[in-house]
Amino acid sequence: MKIAMIHGQNHRGSTYHIGAMMAEKLGGEVTEFFLPRDFGEFCVGCNSCFMKAKEKCPHYEKLIPINKAIKEADVIILTSPVYVYHVTGPMKAWLDHYGHQWMVHRPDERMFTKQAVCISTAAGKGTKSTNQDMADSLWWWGVGKIYKYGENIHAVSYKTISEEMMQKIDKNTTALAAKIKSNIGHVKPGLKTRMFFNVMAKVQRGGGRVSVDADYWKAKGWTEGKRPWK
């Protein structure tokens, strides 16, 4: 199993440690990135990725290592502590660079058979909205199975988490890891994803809104009934 793990922060706090715990329980080869250390650019809104090609993004070269890890991974793990009820700025900035890969444009067929986990922690609250920030992008990428694990740890550092909470985290991550491992090799997207994909196939068959998108779908055979998860 290959795992790509992208952390929305440089420091190794509670969210990092839970992500590392999840990766360890899954086993396999882990490729890890920290934001903004390994990528810290902001999307400049040039639309080059949409209207021309992803390679035209001014930050494309810097994204290559992360892109390679994600494409090769069986499981993607995204982690972010709660920053004012949402993901960190670096995580949001990184996700902004993948609009061209959404199902409304040019999705990567490999995403539909992958699994992903969104992990967040908070001293108080906000894990639900933070995980949803990350899960939204993963769904639009077409990722087959997406899991969310958030924990309000009631502590400001990993070292001060109570023993009771640590036992809860250990139990929950063990159960989630077992579920993910049981699905390896036979992941397919859910009904909502398949239905939306089929709608987009009809849109692109009619020429779409952007010619490069329509050409991409046609080249993949998706406008004629072929599907990336079959």
Side-chain angles (χ1 to χ4, degrees):
M1 182 192 302
K2 289 189 175 182
I3 300 168
M5 184 153 55
I6 298 92
H7 301 286
Q9 70 288 321
N10 289 333
H11 67 278
R12 303 191 176 198
S14 301
T15 316
Y16 161 80
H17 282 289
I18 294 176
M21 184 186 298
M22 177 65 68
E24 183 179 358
K25 290 178 179 181
L26 286 171
E29 178 186 340
V30 180
T31 305
E32 197 170 23
F33 301 92
F34 293 84
L35 309 174
R37 187 191 73 186
D38 296 317
F39 184 80
E41 306 297 331
F42 288 98
C43 173
V44 297
C46 66
N47 287 320
S48 294
C49 64
F50 290 119
M51 307 306 294
K52 297 176 182 178
K54 61 184 179 182
E55 293 82 2
K56 298 299 182 180
C57 171
H59 307 135
Y60 177 75
E61 294 296 325
K62 295 181 180 179
L63 283 167
I64 288 176
I66 302 180
N67 289 343
K68 181 176 184 295
I70 287 175
K71 289 174 181 178
E72 294 177 354
D74 300 293
V75 179
I76 302 166
I77 300 177
L78 304 185
T79 79
S80 176
V82 174
Y83 278 22
V84 292
Y85 269 63
H86 292 286
V87 293
T88 63
M91 176 61 77
K92 175 64 167 62
W94 174 67
L95 289 171
D96 283 346
H97 285 77
Y98 292 87
H100 65 87
Q101 190 174 293
W102 280 28
M103 282 187 282
V104 295
H105 293 290
R106 301 185 298 280
D108 185 326
E109 63 266 32
R110 288 166 286 203
M111 296 299 152
F112 294 89
T113 54
K114 295 183 186 295
Q115 298 184 86
V117 189
C118 303
I119 297 174
S120 67
T121 66
K125 295 184 179 181
T127 57
K128 183 176 180 180
S129 52
T130 298
N131 277 337
Q132 194 61 49
D133 285 343
M134 296 182 283
D136 282 344
S137 282
L138 292 169
W139 185 83
W140 283 103
W141 291 3
V143 173
K145 288 188 177 295
I146 304 166
Y147 309 91
K148 293 174 281 189
Y149 180 55
E151 201 65 76
N152 300 319
I153 59 174
H154 308 299
V156 294
S157 74
Y158 188 70
K159 293 181 179 179
T160 59
I161 296 176
S162 69
E163 181 62 30
E164 182 181 8
M165 177 60 70
M166 286 302 302
Q167 290 176 0
K168 178 184 178 184
I169 292 169
D170 180 60
K171 179 181 178 180
N172 290 340
T173 53
T174 296
L176 182 52
K179 183 183 293 186
I180 292 169
K181 286 192 286 187
S182 71
N183 286 322
I184 291 293
H186 48 86
V187 174
K188 289 186 178 182
L191 179 61
K192 180 182 175 181
T193 299
R194 299 197 306 270
M195 289 178 63
F196 187 82
F197 189 94
N198 290 338
V199 170
M200 289 312 304
K202 292 180 180 179
V203 171
Q204 300 299 349
R205 188 184 304 127
R209 297 177 60 188
V210 181
S211 61
V212 291
D213 292 349
D215 291 344
Y216 179 87
W217 281 68
K218 183 178 180 180
K220 294 290 184 181
W222 295 341
T223 56
E224 302 305 321
K226 187 177 179 181
R227 294 295 177 260
W229 53 84
K230 293 182 179 179

